[in-house]
Amino acid sequence: MESDKPLKVAVLGCGSVGSQVVRLLGEQADDLAARIGAPVELVGVAVRRLDAQREVDVPPGLLTTDAVGLVTRPDVDVVVEVVGGIEPARSLILAALENGASVVTANKALLAEDGPTLFEAAAKVGRDLYYEAAVAGAIPILRPLRESLAGDRVTRVLGIVNGTTNFILDRMDSSGAGFAEALEEAQELGYAEADPTADVEGFDAAAKAAILASLAFHSRVTASDVHREGIAEVTAADVESAREMGCVVKLLAICELRETEDGQSAVAVRVHPAMIPRSHPLASVREAFNAVFVESEAAGQLMFYGPGAGGAPTASAVLGDLVTVARNRLAGTRGVGESAYADRAVLPMGETVTRYHVAIDVDDRAGVLASVATAFAENGVSIQTVRQEGRGADAQLVVVSHESTDAALSATVEHLRGMDIVREVTSVMRVEGASE
Ligand SMILES: NC(=O)c1ccc[n+]([C@@H]2O[C@H](COP(=O)([O-])OP(=O)(O)OC[C@H]3O[C@@H](n4cnc5c(N)ncnc54)[C@H](OP(=O)(O)O)[C@@H]3O)[C@@H](O)[C@H]2O)c1
């Protein structure tokens, strides 16, 4: 399909990502036109403040604070939403679709909170809603899950999907720094915000986990379904303990397909710090990079790696979507919409199966090991390895369990905390990506 009629694009937001989208739309206009089959014309850029300094020279007359007016213009073909947050982004996207535009967004928070409303609106008007940039920045992962793996059965997705926390944990691992020190360094280098809550407490990763799980398992999963723990409690001792086991600590987004007792399959989805073996491909993901490791029945193991954030990398994913939705418009068709036919339930965290690494300061006397082993057994958790370290006041047991439900494992830890012979449970961390 080819057309001389320009395809009209409105961009909402001109911050880190929007400014790079505007730049690339200008710099690559000829190539984009050739790839789409029609020239692309930027018709407006909505912002909050007209007088703010921009990373890009927006062509004169295009900046506006009237985002509603822009998305409801009758001639707009594609709206790119890179404002972020829930409102007004949601209302603007809904208005754009209602107006017949196709939409490209990078808004993980909105998709994870209220994706179905947006997908239904897009389906109702027969338009595209694409969002590759919402998970792991430049890394193509949503399209592979939605299209390339559509003939396979994905069983597990393990992701390092937050660059800030990966940078902090990587520093703690390489320099022995504590959490606060590593966070400060991340802030100085621009890898962490002044208010790092969304990253450090796992909210950002949880939104991405919800999006990944929805696509991988053809079911609706929202951010509130995701069990979430951040990295603020990870200590230098945890990282050292991991090192002694040949592991590294990573904040993982984990999406799994699990068989339930009644023979159905359910989705388990969680974000928390975990120890993974240094031999696991995800262990080699350093600094602020992202990676998503996918396991599927026929394909086996796949890993997608690259920059998970940043204006230009994220704009690359946005423009990839823009080319696709533009081609679809020209061909009078739309791409794959939401696929939630499997409608799987989401398992509560307590029923999720995992393994624990537990370090315990214990009294150095006969029978301690047996008592600790009994505590595990009484909670139905079997032990894979026990390491005994130190003597006297430094006596420590390091236990790695076999797989068990998270409820049984956390009950075991509570049990240990109540025992006379246990001075302190010094480190509790889940172990992932290792064979039993
Ligand atoms: N930055 C990344 O690396 C990255 C990576 C992946 C995904 N994303 C996603 O991309 C989106 C944008 O992120 P960003 O980092 O580019 O954000 P940002 O730098 O804060 O930019 C936000 C832009 O939206 C504009 N804006 C805010 N409220 C508005 C309103 N009510 N009406 C019109 N414009 C409004 C702002 O205008 P002013 O400039 O006038 O204030 C600004 O230009 C978010 O959904 C984010 O999650 C970002």
Side-chain angles (χ1 to χ4, degrees):
M1 277 288 177
E2 298 230 348
S3 166
D4 294 335
K5 195 170 148 238
L7 204 105
K8 301 201 174 187
V9 176
V11 177
L12 311 179
C14 193
S16 304
V17 180
S19 60
Q20 298 307 309
V21 170
V22 169
R23 177 178 70 80
L24 292 170
L25 278 173
E27 286 178 11
Q28 299 185 6
D30 291 345
D31 285 322
L32 290 171
R35 291 170 197 173
I36 291 167
V40 172
E41 182 187 343
L42 180 62
V43 296
V45 180
V47 291
R48 199 170 25 190
R49 303 157 299 158
L50 285 177
D51 56 353
Q53 275 229 317
R54 308 268 159 217
E55 284 174 37
V56 65
D57 291 326
V58 179
L62 291 192
L63 276 182
T64 175
T65 53
D66 182 10
V68 176
L70 185 58
V71 300
T72 51
R73 262 175 67 153
D75 59 341
V76 168
D77 295 296
V78 180
V79 169
V80 174
E81 185 276 312
V82 279
V83 167
I86 306 301
E87 284 295 347
R90 172 171 43 203
S91 303
L92 291 170
I93 291 175
L94 291 173
L97 290 167
E98 182 88 355
N99 189 41
S102 307
V103 173
V104 175
T105 177
N107 196 330
K108 63 213 132 192
L110 176 57
L111 286 160
E113 181 169 305
D114 202 12
T117 301
L118 305 180
F119 301 136
E120 279 166 17
K124 196 168 146 210
V125 294
R127 295 298 183 200
D128 282 328
L129 172 66
Y130 272 50
Y131 50 98
E132 182 64 64
V135 179
I139 306 173
I141 177 63
L142 303 191
R143 199 172 310 222
L145 283 174
R146 190 196 290 114
E147 296 177 21
S148 321
L149 291 165
D152 204 342
R153 180 178 161 92
V154 175
T155 50
R156 201 160 192 242
V157 180
L158 276 184
I160 294 174
V161 290
N162 181 270
T164 305
T165 45
N166 202 55
F167 181 88
I168 292 170
L169 292 171
D170 186 43
R171 275 295 183 273
M172 290 174 75
D173 180 54
S174 56
S175 72
F179 169 75
E181 196 186 327
L183 169 61
E184 207 177 292
E185 190 184 345
Q187 283 170 323
E188 274 164 19
L189 293 172
Y191 288 118
E193 307 266 344
D195 176 1
T197 312
D199 295 315
V200 163
E201 296 300 336
F203 289 101
D204 174 79
K208 293 165 179 168
I211 295 170
L212 288 170
S214 302
L215 282 171
F217 307 129
H218 302 271
S219 300
R220 286 182 170 176
V221 180
T222 63
S224 59
D225 294 321
V226 182
H227 174 85
R228 176 189 53 77
E229 294 170 33
I231 65 161
E233 309 295 321
V234 176
T235 63
D238 293 328
V239 173
E240 181 55 29
S241 215
R243 170 176 296 282
E244 282 164 13
M245 274 181 48
C247 288
V248 61
V249 178
K250 295 289 186 189
L251 182 73
L252 297 181
I254 305 169
C255 315
E256 292 170 311
L257 203 57
R258 288 275 177 186
E259 294 305 318
T260 55
E261 279 172 7
D262 55 1
Q264 305 286 309
S265 61
V267 174
V269 54
R270 52 205 162 102
V271 166
H272 56 68
M275 294 182 181
I276 53 169
R278 283 186 190 268
S279 56
H280 192 284
L282 285 176
S284 64
V285 179
R286 305 283 311 270
E287 306 212 317
F289 282 92
N290 281 196
V292 183
F293 189 77
V294 179
E295 295 175 19
S296 70
E297 265 175 24
Q301 300 180 331
L302 307 162
M303 185 151 108
F304 302 82
Y305 170 86
T314 307
S316 160
V318 168
L319 283 207
D321 279 352
L322 184 118
V323 169
T324 304
V325 305
R327 282 181 186 147
N328 287 346
R329 263 188 104 82
L330 226 53
T333 180
R334 68 185 289 252
V336 198
E338 184 192 25
S339 171
Y341 72 92
D343 196 23
R344 294 184 168 105
V346 178
L347 281 181
M349 185 60 189
E351 289 174 35
T352 296
V353 173
T354 177
R355 294 166 64 204
Y356 272 26
H357 163 283
V358 188
I360 317 155
D361 280 354
V362 288
D363 288 346
D364 188 11
R365 56 178 147 99
V368 165
L369 187 55
S371 305
V372 166
T374 303
F376 275 80
E378 281 177 6
N379 288 285
V381 177
S382 67
I383 290 174
Q384 184 185 30
T385 60
V386 184
R387 213 173 61 233
Q388 193 160 3
E389 290 173 354
R391 298 303 311 259
D394 294 329
Q396 195 180 53
L397 289 178
V398 179
V399 182
V400 179
S401 76
H402 277 301
E403 280 197 336
S404 194
T405 62
D406 201 76
L409 289 160
S410 64
T412 309
V413 172
E414 281 318 299
H415 188 151
L416 292 169
R417 286 197 168 114
M419 291 170 71
D420 288 346
I421 51 155
V422 171
R423 286 198 298 265
E424 194 186 350
V425 177
T426 53
S427 167
V428 179
M429 196 166 289
R430 298 184 184 90
V431 181
E432 300 290 335
S435 50
E436 280 246 81

